[in-house]
Amino acid sequence: MRLTINGRPWEGDPAGETTLLGLLRDDLELTGTKLSCDRGECGACTVQLDGRTVHACLTLAHGCDGQAVRTVEGLAGPEGALNDLQAAFIAHDAAQCGFCTPGQLMAADALLAANPRPSDEEIRAWMAGNLCRCGTYPNILTAIRAVAEARSRG
Amino acid sequence: MHPVRYHRAANLAEALALLGTPDARAIGGGTDLLVLLKEDLTRASTLVDVRGLALSETVTATDDGGLALGGALRIADIANDAAIRAAYPALAEAAASVGTVALRNMGTLGGNLAQRTRCWYFRRGAPTCLKRGGSGCPARSGANEYHAIVESGPCRTVHPSDPAVALAALDARVELTGPAGVRTLDIAALFADAARDATREAAIAPDELITRVVLPGARAGGVQRYEKVMQRGAYDFALVSCAASRAEDGTVRIVLGGVAAGPWQVNSSVEEDVAIGALDDESIDALAERAMYDVEPLAGNAYKVTIAQALLRRAMRALGT
Amino acid sequence: MAEVKSGFITTTVEVEGRTETRVVERPAFEPTPWGTDAALTHVGQSPPRVDAPEKVTGRARYTADIQRPRQAVALFLRSTVAKGTITHFDATAARAVPGVLAVMGPGDAPAKTRLFPSAISYAGQPIAAVCAESESVAWRALRAIVVQIDSLPFAATFEATAAPDAPKVRSAGNLAEPIVVSRGDVAAGLAAAEVTITREYRTPVALHSAMEPHGAVAEWEGDRLTIWESTQGIFRTRNDVARVLGIAQSQVRVIKEYMGGGFGAKNGAGAHTFTAALLAKQLQRPVRCVLERDGEQMDSGNRPATTQRVTLGARRDGTLTAIRLDADVPLGISGWEGGPAQLYHELYACANVHTTERFAHINASGMQAFRAPGYAEGAIGLEGAMNALATTLGIDPLELRRRNFAERDPRLDRAFTGNALRQCYDEAAERFGWTAPRPAPDRAHPERVRGRGVAAQTWPTGGGPPAYATARLNNDGSIEIASGTQDLGTGARTVLAQIAADAFGAALHDVRVVLGDTERAPYAGNSWGSMTTASVGPAVRMAAEDARAKLLDAASQLLNVPADALETRESRIIVRDSDRTMTFAEVTGKLGNVMIQGRGSRGPNPSDRAIVTVGVQMAEVEVDRMTGVVRVLRIVAAHDCGRVINPTLARSQLEGGILQGLGYALFEERRLDGATGVPLNPSLHDYKIPTMADCPAIDAWCVQNVDADANHTGARGLAEPPLIPTAPAIAAAVADALGVEVSELPLTPWRVLAALG
């Protein structure tokens, strides 16, 4: 099977039961995407598949054949320049322990791609699929709002 | 998970042939099946990916003014489809209330209907549970806040699907394709044995696929509504839900979720009285009470009767206008 | 700074509300306390978290991200029975699974590790561990183990375990010694009361539910063991492991880089630590043992349930004459007696307080401190009763609290080092609009009713010794501060850098803080009890000032001026009242390979003073009377934690505590099946923590108040206080909305509807 992972082509033949999460973390050492519940109940493993968010823990690797995967490692630009969402998460203290942060970023990135000017209610509804036990929700909301506003100003 | 072989079926015939082999299971989004496999609640040696089959992810207009939905349509796509939102908003709203963005991106319509019960006795492996090899229902005398208030059989499960409730209120027909051909069931028939069958809730044979769900033109438009009551603001199954439709011809369907083993349609006499219209608050209260007349709540879930009545009243008010 | 006679002294430190006696070193000097007008550049500002870039790029490595060469993976097999005896255990088939390296089962582990006993005491208890090349192989092998457990009668509730014919839960007996604490004369106080109210409250078992499960990676090199562990206590973990394995502490290194939340559950070595260490030794390969989510939810400790029977006596004007509590606390199979009573003794001025806490053991997983243990539960009872009293008396509940404000710590009759609770009351009332008229009800939705509620808190946050820090000034002027403390996402790395930068007079970016490694840093205690900032901050400041003094000594020789004519600012040394300056780098560069080092330690707390963080929260809720669903619309929170080192990070702690309090109020309860004692909801769906869709508008801040008497940085702790008043404020708001109290948490639709009848 073939994938594009953060823009780079990859080819392999993982075992049939390998999940996308297992492929990323164990085989490709892309450990930015986290394993927390392994049941699609928390969003910590959120990645983008052809631009749409999915739970990598419940996605079979082979089921993604031919698709493009984007993970938190793919957000930064060349030479590691942080993208505006990452910078906003830093500026607005949207990461405490940081364990849910990769999933939050991938979900937020997908939100702004689908809906560049989301209302607070839309942000909440979209981001509800990413649990945070440290309670960073207010700052994540602020960060997303700030990025949306900055982007709309051009 | 135990090892599995993965096959992406190229066409329906190949899918059905593979599903006919021992221990083969259809996989769509995998959002329930992979959980069941990880919990060792089901076995499969072959997973047949049934997404991407011809017409499986399309929304097609039918001759009677309705829509045919491919069985592999993603829940997100159902929620966002312009034709579905226009003609069958109750279904679009139900789909929009499922899980989270990611789960909606992944899950298919067929998989959503086929998903197993979330009952914690089933999922955690209570030995007396009839769906875990026993013959009883530990929820009856146990922790049953999330269970059925309607007696549909030995098991007090509720079905977790939101779209199923809306589909029931829209007279949807589910087409199942198997080696013997196509058969069609309405939602009630699909879940008729949910409280009895030890191996599944939806009556889908292991070698069958939900290929289409057909919505009749007769129930397009009109007044439609889906309301879902949850504990959290999101990412929750329904405690109780209600789908209601008043068709252009004036007929009414009102269906509750979270109260029985499958979507539960209220008594037709209640629906007929709602259809007559011109309901004042007193009549609405009386109808809501009558709708709940035969329920048999368990020790922990009588509150669902209260919530159901509230949803029924709101639905009746909405349909009455 | 004044030179003080050094040596060892005995002092006391409050940890999670318990007073511990310690022998500590008196530091060599005491920095001059930073008072209200201290000239600080970095402390009090909000530079971004220093490790935020690691977290937003995915570079931060948590325990499960560590991949040592030839690393193997271990998983646990757990009991599905609440009590019993393993009568048959056969791992033959498991060992035969290709890729399986070892199985450790009953009798295989040294007794001191307490791993894998044959006696089962709770469902979820680990029975065995399988170690394999990969997690999927281990998973399969677990299922190939054949186990027979003969189940025995169990007791999983307080009532069941306290009954005269109860099954034996622990050999030493099911009930622990009750804790009775009394001051004054409660009977007299009740007799003198003009009004008494009595209430019973029930609080549930709550689970920490950190996003990162417990885990450890263990690797031996000869007789030296390295453990990477997500832990709140690297030294405690090291000491646990050394003691249990019978090796020297100097042979054990514990490293905590990043961890995904602790909240009290990760305070020492656990089954996963010992399992990883033993298997790694046996296999001579690194072994990772990380809990699966259901194991995490079943077996990582919990906040125990309580039943609290509360009686308050008061005069008509609301002044309390008596407070009485009778509490039942089922602790689980293990746990310490951190019950709800202490808050009752501490929050209000009342001469007569009597509390009885009955602790019992049940066949369920054991209690472990969960953010403000005891106080979060106690606040439900005490603050619920106070709000009921306010309603009965027709007094505004905030005013009732003002009237019972304690000028001195009422429990031990000590002066506070600082207590700005009244300022918190005033500011919160203003920001919330506490006395503003109620909004008009929504005519379109008459079933939706709104209410408002208030609750207060106190919590000991003095921190204390021992805590050590070192400072190193490299010859390029860069600074390293090391302390064996932990940053759980609490922001310690950043806060300590700010303190060090100000103590040195350095630029913030020249300071790097090294934490979380027993090999690289000197001892600091666990990051629990809201202790880190208040304990380690002063040690860091002292280490930095110690090094700075030596730097100035060197600089004075180079500049040919007395050291006391020198100032430091943004990594420059400045001759006062002149334009002569040198950068740190210029001075250290001239010193060649001399490495200037500083040493700091935390001195004792002022004796006989209460050092607390106090605060108040107000909640506005909307309840749908027809469905019983509660929505929290907004929370306003004002707390006094002394000097705030970093206001943004402090606010994040406040919001985090508030969100956990919201979960405790509305959604969270660990459910056990009554018939079998088996946990029903060990998942992140069925055990419901708040989502962003549940997040209310939160306006939270710390009032301006420097507490230079607490310690010389003026800062107290903040981690636990914000969780304490949230659930009681929400419960009060619900009672206000409905006109009836819901006395059992969480406030689920079924409980709300039951209260409405």
Side-chain angles (χ1 to χ4, degrees):
Chain A
M1 59 163 292
R2 289 193 170 91
L3 291 173
T4 314
I5 302 178
N6 295 324
R8 288 208 189 81
W10 174 86
E11 215 177 293
D13 191 16
E17 66 277 10
T18 306
T19 62
L20 181 58
L21 185 63
L23 179 70
L24 291 169
R25 287 181 55 79
D26 302 331
D27 300 343
L28 301 175
E29 286 169 26
L30 290 167
T31 56
T33 309
K34 302 306 178 196
L35 171 61
S36 175
C37 79
D38 206 33
R39 297 291 186 270
E41 294 175 343
C42 73
C45 68
T46 303
V47 299
Q48 292 170 7
L49 195 56
D50 285 349
R52 305 229 282 196
T53 50
V54 297
H55 297 276
C57 69
L58 296 183
T59 302
L60 288 179
H62 275 278
C64 309
D65 193 2
Q67 292 187 280
V69 179
R70 196 143 163 268
T71 71
V72 66
E73 291 93 342
L75 285 180
E79 283 133 46
L82 299 178
N83 85 355
D84 55 354
L85 254 181
Q86 291 171 304
F89 267 52
I90 294 176
H92 297 282
D93 203 41
Q96 289 185 34
C97 82
F99 200 75
C100 75
T101 305
Q104 303 278 2
L105 283 165
M106 299 319 290
D109 182 76
L111 165 62
L112 293 176
N115 183 356
R117 298 304 309 273
S119 66
D120 278 7
E121 207 182 308
E122 286 169 328
I123 296 174
R124 284 204 166 90
W126 184 285
M127 298 299 294
N130 290 81
L131 298 182
C132 170
R133 191 48 159 167
C134 296
T136 59
Y137 300 138
N139 288 348
I140 293 177
L141 187 65
T142 304
I144 293 173
R145 236 194 250 127
V147 172
E149 252 160 71
R151 286 184 188 179
S152 79
R153 286 197 304 270
Chain B
M1 258 170 53
H2 291 289
V4 292
R5 270 187 311 274
Y6 171 92
H7 279 288
R8 187 184 292 263
N11 53 56
L12 182 56
E14 187 184 319
L16 292 175
L18 286 165
L19 287 175
T21 62
D23 287 334
R25 299 290 301 272
I27 183 167
T31 57
D32 190 47
L33 182 59
L34 288 184
V35 172
L36 297 170
L37 289 168
K38 290 183 187 199
E39 293 286 327
D40 221 4
L41 285 172
T42 193
R43 285 298 175 100
S45 56
T46 305
L47 295 180
V48 184
D49 195 332
V50 294
R51 302 169 300 170
L53 304 178
L55 302 181
S56 69
E57 295 174 28
T58 58
V59 177
T60 322
T62 58
D63 292 336
D64 75 341
L67 293 175
L69 312 185
L73 260 174
R74 306 297 196 274
I75 302 299
D77 296 333
I78 294 174
N80 296 326
D81 183 86
I84 297 174
R85 288 165 70 124
Y88 302 102
L91 176 61
E93 278 161 41
S97 76
V98 170
T100 64
V101 172
L103 289 170
R104 298 195 285 276
N105 286 338
M106 301 160 76
T108 61
L109 178 57
N112 184 274
L113 295 175
Q115 71 181 299
R116 298 300 313 273
T117 171
R118 308 298 308 195
C119 168
W120 44 31
Y121 290 103
F122 167 69
R123 295 257 167 181
R124 298 304 308 168
T128 57
C129 165
L130 83 89
K131 292 180 187 266
R132 290 301 297 263
S135 57
C137 176
R140 284 178 183 274
S141 56
N144 51 43
E145 287 83 0
Y146 297 111
H147 290 76
I149 54 174
V150 169
E151 185 80 3
S152 337
C155 168
R156 275 292 181 126
T157 183
V158 295
H159 198 269
S161 165
D162 294 297
V165 182
L167 290 171
L170 296 169
D171 286 356
R173 311 268 304 161
V174 179
E175 284 180 7
L176 294 144
T177 309
V182 180
R183 64 188 183 106
T184 311
L185 300 174
D186 64 17
I187 293 290
L190 185 66
F191 294 107
D193 286 331
R196 205 172 319 272
D197 193 320
T199 63
R200 56 195 185 174
E201 284 69 57
I204 308 166
D207 57 0
E208 273 183 322
L209 269 182
I210 294 179
T211 39
R212 296 199 313 167
V213 175
V214 182
L215 294 156
R219 299 218 76 80
V223 180
Q224 295 183 27
R225 190 188 154 82
Y226 185 76
E227 188 175 359
K228 176 179 183 179
V229 174
M230 300 177 280
Q231 282 179 260
R232 296 196 290 202
Y235 217 164
D236 226 344
F237 293 102
L239 292 175
V240 182
S241 64
C242 179
S245 92
R246 174 198 281 278
E248 303 282 4
D249 68 2
T251 56
V252 163
R253 307 275 186 271
I254 303 179
V255 181
L256 291 171
V259 303
W264 190 74
Q265 188 166 357
V266 304
N267 190 286
S268 55
S269 72
V270 171
E271 292 174 328
E272 280 151 22
D273 283 349
V274 174
I276 289 169
L279 297 168
D280 61 13
D281 280 351
E282 218 184 295
S283 326
I284 287 178
D285 287 350
L287 283 167
E289 218 178 290
R290 197 165 95 214
M292 293 283 102
Y293 192 67
D294 285 323
V295 303
E296 297 167 72
L298 302 169
N301 65 16
Y303 78 98
K304 284 197 178 188
V305 179
T306 308
I307 297 179
Q309 286 174 333
L311 295 188
L312 288 172
R313 287 195 297 271
R314 291 176 194 169
M316 290 179 206
R317 252 177 237 122
L319 295 191
T321 53
Chain C
M1 45 183 183
E3 287 243 2
V4 187
K5 187 164 174 228
S6 62
F8 291 93
I9 57 160
T10 306
T11 185
T12 58
V13 179
E14 285 186 73
V15 182
E16 304 279 15
R18 295 174 294 182
T19 305
E20 296 179 1
T21 304
R22 297 181 178 174
V23 173
V24 297
E25 256 184 285
R26 205 197 295 277
F29 68 92
E30 274 284 317
T32 312
W34 283 338
T36 323
D37 49 5
L40 299 169
T41 310
H42 303 288
V43 168
Q45 303 303 311
S46 294
R49 227 172 261 267
V50 301
D51 49 18
E54 269 56 50
K55 292 166 181 172
V56 302
T57 54
R59 287 196 303 261
R61 287 197 320 169
Y62 302 79
T63 300
D65 301 330
I66 289 166
Q67 193 66 237
R68 301 294 298 162
R70 302 180 65 235
Q71 182 172 291
V73 175
L75 294 179
F76 287 120
L77 179 68
R78 296 182 181 276
S79 169
T80 53
V81 157
K83 186 171 168 72
T85 314
I86 299 176
T87 52
H88 179 74
F89 179 89
D90 185 354
T92 317
R95 288 196 174 92
V97 172
V100 167
L101 300 168
V103 176
M104 209 168 21
D108 290 340
K112 258 188 127 174
T113 65
R114 304 216 216 145
L115 285 173
F116 316 132
S118 303
I120 300 296
S121 307
Y122 60 99
Q125 178 179 324
I127 289 175
V130 171
C131 190
E133 297 285 358
S134 71
E135 194 160 318
S136 40
V137 170
W139 184 94
R140 279 167 224 153
L142 283 179
R143 280 148 183 82
I145 293 177
V146 180
V147 177
Q148 174 81 21
I149 303 175
D150 282 357
S151 55
L152 292 166
F154 67 92
T157 64
F158 189 93
E159 291 73 24
T161 202
D165 52 348
K168 223 175 180 64
V169 173
R170 295 215 319 190
S171 48
N174 293 0
L175 302 179
E177 202 50 46
I179 296 182
V180 179
V181 181
S182 197
R183 72 169 181 256
D185 181 343
V186 146
L190 286 171
E194 291 167 318
V195 165
T196 64
I197 63 121
T198 297
R199 292 288 189 276
E200 179 174 303
Y201 297 95
R202 290 181 170 252
T203 65
V205 172
L207 303 176
H208 307 70
S209 307
M211 295 309 292
E212 183 204 25
H214 285 61
V217 172
E219 179 171 342
W220 292 84
E221 241 177 312
D223 65 355
R224 298 215 52 241
L225 171 62
T226 303
I227 295 176
W228 291 263
E229 168 135 5
S230 299
T231 179
Q232 299 172 235
I234 51 173
F235 278 95
R236 191 163 205 243
T237 301
R238 184 183 82 156
N239 298 353
D240 285 346
V241 169
R243 185 186 70 249
V244 166
L245 296 188
I247 58 181
Q249 291 175 5
S250 55
Q251 286 174 256
V252 182
R253 176 182 185 184
V254 176
I255 301 172
K256 178 214 89 64
E257 289 184 36
Y258 291 89
M259 68 187 277
F263 315 117
K266 294 177 178 171
N267 268 315
H272 56 283
T273 323
F274 298 117
T275 298
L278 290 173
L279 286 167
K281 183 127 219 253
Q282 180 188 332
L283 298 171
Q284 286 298 296
R285 291 172 62 165
V287 172
R288 176 177 88 205
C289 184
V290 173
L291 266 54
E292 300 179 90
R293 178 51 62 177
D294 64 345
E296 178 71 15
Q297 299 303 97
M298 281 194 287
D299 194 26
S300 302
N302 55 71
R303 185 189 302 285
T306 71
T307 302
Q308 297 173 52
R309 291 169 282 271
V310 186
T311 299
L312 298 181
R315 287 186 268 277
R316 284 251 158 255
D317 70 354
T319 49
L320 293 164
T321 60
I323 299 175
R324 190 173 64 201
L325 168 71
D326 200 306
D328 297 332
V329 184
L331 284 176
I333 196 61
S334 58
W336 53 276
E337 289 85 353
Q342 187 132 313
L343 181 69
Y344 288 71
H345 291 271
E346 292 184 343
L347 186 49
Y348 296 114
C350 177
N352 310 304
V353 181
H354 182 97
T355 60
T356 306
E357 295 167 297
R358 269 174 271 271
F359 295 94
H361 292 288
I362 58 173
N363 291 111
S365 75
M367 173 272 191
Q368 283 199 47
F370 183 176
R371 201 164 183 176
Y375 284 57
E377 303 93 291
I380 295 292
L382 177 61
E383 293 298 87
M386 283 290 278
N387 287 320
L389 179 65
T391 305
T392 303
L393 288 172
I395 297 177
D396 176 297
L398 182 62
E399 181 56 31
L400 180 66
R401 287 165 171 83
R402 284 199 177 100
R403 289 183 194 171
N404 289 288
F405 172 75
E407 299 279 355
R408 288 170 66 81
D409 164 36
R411 182 169 69 91
L412 297 179
D413 190 27
R414 302 175 290 179
F416 293 112
T417 57
N419 183 329
L421 183 56
R422 278 185 292 211
Q423 187 183 346
C424 294
Y425 287 157
D426 292 342
E427 290 190 20
E430 164 86 41
R431 292 268 272 263
F432 185 87
W434 181 252
T435 53
R438 308 281 180 131
D442 184 352
R443 295 251 213 90
H445 295 280
E447 73 281 5
R448 295 183 192 165
V449 290
R450 292 197 175 183
R452 33 174 85 154
V454 62
Q457 61 81 203
T458 183
W459 174 259
T461 53
Y468 298 95
T470 57
R472 296 196 324 193
L473 186 49
N474 298 311
N475 69 13
D476 64 352
S478 64
I479 297 165
E480 287 159 15
I481 303 289
S483 179
T485 187
Q486 296 78 205
D487 185 329
L488 332 177
T490 41
R493 281 190 186 100
T494 308
V495 157
L496 295 174
Q498 291 174 256
I499 290 172
D502 268 335
F504 249 115
L508 189 60
H509 58 78
D510 286 336
V511 177
R512 183 169 157 252
V513 171
V514 173
L515 308 178
D517 187 340
T518 57
E519 192 130 296
R520 294 168 70 186
Y523 178 86
N526 280 34
S527 290
W528 58 10
S530 309
M531 295 187 73
T532 301
T533 300
S535 304
V536 181
V540 164
R541 181 187 168 194
M542 192 186 145
E545 289 195 4
D546 188 30
R548 176 182 180 275
K550 294 169 189 170
L551 174 67
L552 292 188
D553 190 8
S556 79
Q557 293 179 45
L558 292 170
L559 289 164
N560 220 353
V561 296
D564 60 17
L566 297 175
E567 293 173 348
T568 53
R569 199 151 52 242
E570 293 301 289
S571 300
R572 296 191 142 267
I573 294 163
I574 300 149
V575 179
R576 197 179 298 116
D577 301 328
S578 94
D579 53 10
R580 297 178 65 201
T581 82
M582 289 181 81
T583 63
F584 285 10
E586 283 167 339
V587 175
T588 54
K590 290 208 162 27
L591 297 176
N593 286 324
V594 167
M595 173 181 274
I596 292 178
Q597 298 171 74
R599 223 176 138 265
S601 64
R602 176 56 151 86
N605 286 329
S607 61
D608 215 35
R609 302 291 286 280
I611 311 173
V612 297
T613 289
V614 292
V616 66
Q617 292 182 10
M618 294 166 175
E620 185 177 10
V621 306
E622 182 179 87
V623 188
D624 183 324
R625 292 178 58 95
M626 303 281 93
T627 63
V629 174
V630 176
R631 280 199 321 135
V632 181
L633 301 176
R634 61 193 179 110
I635 301 276
V636 167
H639 294 264
D640 163 31
C641 66
R643 160 171 279 118
V644 178
I645 311 288
N646 185 317
T648 294
L649 299 194
R651 201 187 74 220
S652 293
Q653 277 286 49
L654 294 175
E655 290 166 351
I658 287 166
L659 280 159
Q660 287 184 354
L662 186 149
Y664 187 49
L666 297 187
F667 308 130
E668 296 179 38
E669 53 180 326
R670 190 275 312 269
R671 304 290 302 270
L672 295 180
D673 175 44
T676 60
V678 167
L680 291 171
N681 61 345
S683 76
L684 283 181
H685 178 271
D686 294 339
Y687 182 86
K688 299 179 193 296
I689 70 176
T691 70
M692 199 196 276
D694 303 298
C695 182
I698 302 178
D699 185 12
W701 68 97
C702 293
V703 301
Q704 292 302 315
N705 189 31
V706 169
D707 190 350
D709 290 341
N711 62 71
H712 55 78
T713 67
R716 304 188 224 103
L718 185 58
E720 287 157 291
L723 187 150
I724 299 168
T726 316
I730 292 171
V734 169
D736 182 57
L738 299 179
V740 68
E741 271 186 281
V742 185
S743 309
E744 183 171 28
L745 251 56
L747 306 172
T748 55
W750 51 89
R751 290 194 181 89
V752 170
L753 290 175
L756 287 173

